[in-house]
Amino acid sequence: LYPYPDVQSYYPNGTWYSLPGGGACKEGPPTGTSSCTYSYSWPSEELTLEELQGKAGAGFWADAEDPQANIRKVKVAGALFAAKYPESPDLPTPAFDFDFHKYWY
């Protein structure tokens, strides 16, 4: 099952995130303990499927196995999000530092 996903992904540099139900921090930044692995803000900043698909409708999802088409989809989502939430900080991509052997062997 590691690394996730265990099937081919057509999103270059895509990252698989899993947010366990019991891991939401009650307050403050994540500590890495089993009860505090991630945090979030509320109300959430989100895009609806209608906003994302725009005039293309369901056609937005065409060419699902084309990495270049998927790069464009990610860019569209990023631009829509930035336009909708101009005050939201541009967060860096977190480092992937999970050591499979440390936890499973």
Side-chain angles (χ1 to χ4, degrees), residues 7-26:
V7 296
Q8 183 174 0
S9 171
Y10 297 98
Y11 285 83
N13 300 315
T15 303
W16 182 280
Y17 291 98
S18 176
L19 303 176
C25 304
K26 294 194 184 328

Side-chain angles (χ1 to χ4, degrees), residues 55-97:
K55 294 178 183 174
F60 178 83
W61 306 106
D63 303 316
E65 295 181 356
D66 179 349
Q68 294 306 311
N70 293 331
I71 289 170
R72 287 190 296 275
K73 293 169 195 170
V74 170
K75 287 182 180 181
V76 165
L80 286 169
F81 192 88
K84 188 172 180 179
Y85 302 104
E87 301 299 317
S88 185
D90 188 15
L91 301 175
T93 300
F96 182 77
D97 60 357

